[in-house]
Amino acid sequence: MAAASASPDEVDEPGMEIEAQKLQLNCGDSGESNSAAAGKVLEMDQLQEDSAISQASVSNGGDSETEKDLVELKIIWNKNKYDVKFPLDSTGADLKEKIHSLTGLPPTMQKVMFKGLLPEEKTLREIKVTNGAKIMVVGSTINDVLAVNTPKEAAQQEVKSEENKKEPLCRQKQHRKVLDKGKPEDVMPSVKGVQERLPTVPLSGMYNKTGGKVRLTFKLEQDQLWIGTKERTEKIPMGSIKNVVSEPIEGHEDYHMMAFQLGPTEASYYWVYWVPTQYVDAIKDTVLGKWQYF
């Protein structure tokens, strides 16, 4: 009896089972691989995000520290105003370089003032510069300075030549009559052998050539010297003062007699007596500027 024939659906072709198993394995491997790749992408995204947050945090911290060390200044020169943020631990010389970049004035041609002439070697922190401080700058172009210097230098050489021929100023009759009065009762204390910056108050307790009391006020923000007496106060632009001469008083070398040349000749000298020696150089620097070699 012939065997019953198998149904077509029940017949398996050779190798089909093996191929199905391979396909199942491959599909499983592919799923795991895709899952792992997706996990790595997520992990890298998380690392990048963390890094960005960390960098932002460091950057913000640095900016905060930098802001803490900066001071806001108002630099005023020739009716121009500049708002500047500048490091507190920078020196006066560094500030002059900054002013040079703003105004074009070479540092050697600048007269920078903050409570007197700004010391170049000290930091802004050391001289107690605070936010909103006004920094006054006086200066001219090189050509202007050269035009002014030539007659000043000639006048100075002439004065020195004449002084070498003459007896000491304090022995001359016109000065002797004032000096013979002695020190004013309210004369300011002197410190011999020391150079100091100008005080924040007027220099007082001095005589003029008539023997009257006189005081000197240095209006740095206006670049003016105020010479005050009982009768009046003369307001003199510092740029108009041609020269400043001084000489120690014999027997009182810790005080000087000093003259401001207000015109072209010696006849225009305004004499002041009993100037404390520690302020002599500061007065000359303030009136004439440090670039003058007198």
Side-chain angles (χ1 to χ4, degrees):
M1 185 171 178
S5 60
S7 171
D9 294 333
E10 296 177 358
V11 177
D12 291 334
E13 293 184 5
M16 287 184 63
E17 184 177 352
I18 296 173
E19 290 298 325
Q21 290 175 353
K22 286 184 178 180
L23 181 60
Q24 184 177 3
L25 287 172
N26 288 340
C27 288
D29 292 344
S30 175
E32 291 176 2
S33 174
N34 289 339
S35 176
K40 288 182 179 179
V41 170
L42 289 174
E43 184 178 354
M44 290 178 65
D45 288 344
Q46 184 63 38
L47 288 173
Q48 289 177 350
E49 183 178 349
D50 291 345
S51 176
I53 293 173
S54 176
Q55 289 178 358
S57 176
V58 171
S59 174
N60 289 338
D63 291 344
S64 176
E65 188 66 25
T66 301
E67 289 292 335
K68 192 183 300 183
D69 290 333
L70 295 178
V71 63
E72 296 180 1
L73 306 175
K74 292 186 181 297
I75 297 175
I76 302 173
W77 170 72
N78 199 21
K79 297 183 179 180
N80 297 314
K81 295 183 180 180
Y82 305 88
D83 292 324
V84 175
K85 287 186 177 181
F86 204 68
L88 261 178
D89 292 314
S90 295
T91 63
D94 296 330
L95 181 58
K96 282 192 169 187
E97 291 293 342
K98 179 64 176 178
I99 293 171
H100 181 200
S101 70
L102 293 172
T103 65
L105 285 173
T108 53
M109 300 296 174
Q110 299 173 18
K111 186 158 61 173
V112 182
M113 288 161 287
F114 174 74
K115 299 180 181 179
L117 279 177
L118 184 77
E120 294 187 2
E121 69 284 357
K122 292 187 177 181
T123 66
L124 303 190
R125 191 187 301 276
E126 288 175 326
I127 61 175
K128 300 185 183 345
V129 175
T130 57
N131 277 328
K134 290 184 179 180
I135 306 295
M136 310 301 301
V137 181
V138 178
S140 304
T141 64
I142 293 177
N143 289 337
D144 289 340
V145 171
L146 289 176
V148 173
N149 280 357
T150 301
K152 282 189 177 182
E153 290 174 357
Q156 179 66 15
Q157 292 298 327
E158 182 181 346
V159 169
K160 287 183 177 179
S161 177
E162 290 300 318
E163 286 178 350
N164 290 334
K165 297 177 184 178
K166 296 178 182 178
E167 61 182 341
L169 292 171
C170 58
R171 296 182 186 176
Q172 294 176 19
K173 184 177 180 180
Q174 60 170 324
H175 304 303
R176 194 72 259 166
K177 66 180 182 180
V178 179
L179 294 174
D180 284 346
K181 293 181 65 174
K183 291 182 185 179
E185 293 180 358
D186 56 347
V187 67
M188 297 183 72
S190 65
V191 183
K192 193 174 181 180
V194 174
Q195 295 181 10
E196 294 184 3
R197 298 172 64 187
L198 290 176
T200 56
V201 297
L203 294 178
S204 59
M206 299 173 291
Y207 289 139
N208 59 16
K209 65 180 181 179
T210 64
K213 290 291 185 65
V214 64
R215 67 183 177 277
L216 302 177
T217 306
F218 297 87
K219 291 289 185 178
L220 303 180
E221 67 279 4
Q222 300 169 7
D223 199 33
Q224 292 181 346
L225 169 62
W226 290 11
I227 302 178
T229 62
K230 185 178 180 181
E231 293 79 21
R232 64 182 181 276
T233 297
E234 296 184 49
K235 301 178 180 180
I236 304 168
M238 292 189 193
S240 69
I241 299 175
K242 303 293 189 266
N243 198 10
V244 180
V245 298
S246 67
E247 179 183 290
I249 299 173
E250 274 189 341
H252 302 277
E253 282 73 16
D254 48 344
Y255 288 94
H256 280 230
M257 49 189 294
M258 176 177 286
F260 300 94
Q261 185 176 342
L262 307 181
T265 66
E266 290 186 22
S268 66
Y269 279 8
Y270 189 101
W271 285 99
V272 179
Y273 304 87
W274 303 103
V275 179
T277 185
Q278 70 267 26
Y279 300 130
V280 169
D281 287 342
I283 292 173
K284 291 181 179 180
D285 286 344
T286 300
V287 173
L288 300 175
K290 283 193 174 183
W291 57 85
Q292 302 289 342
Y293 297 97
F294 296 127

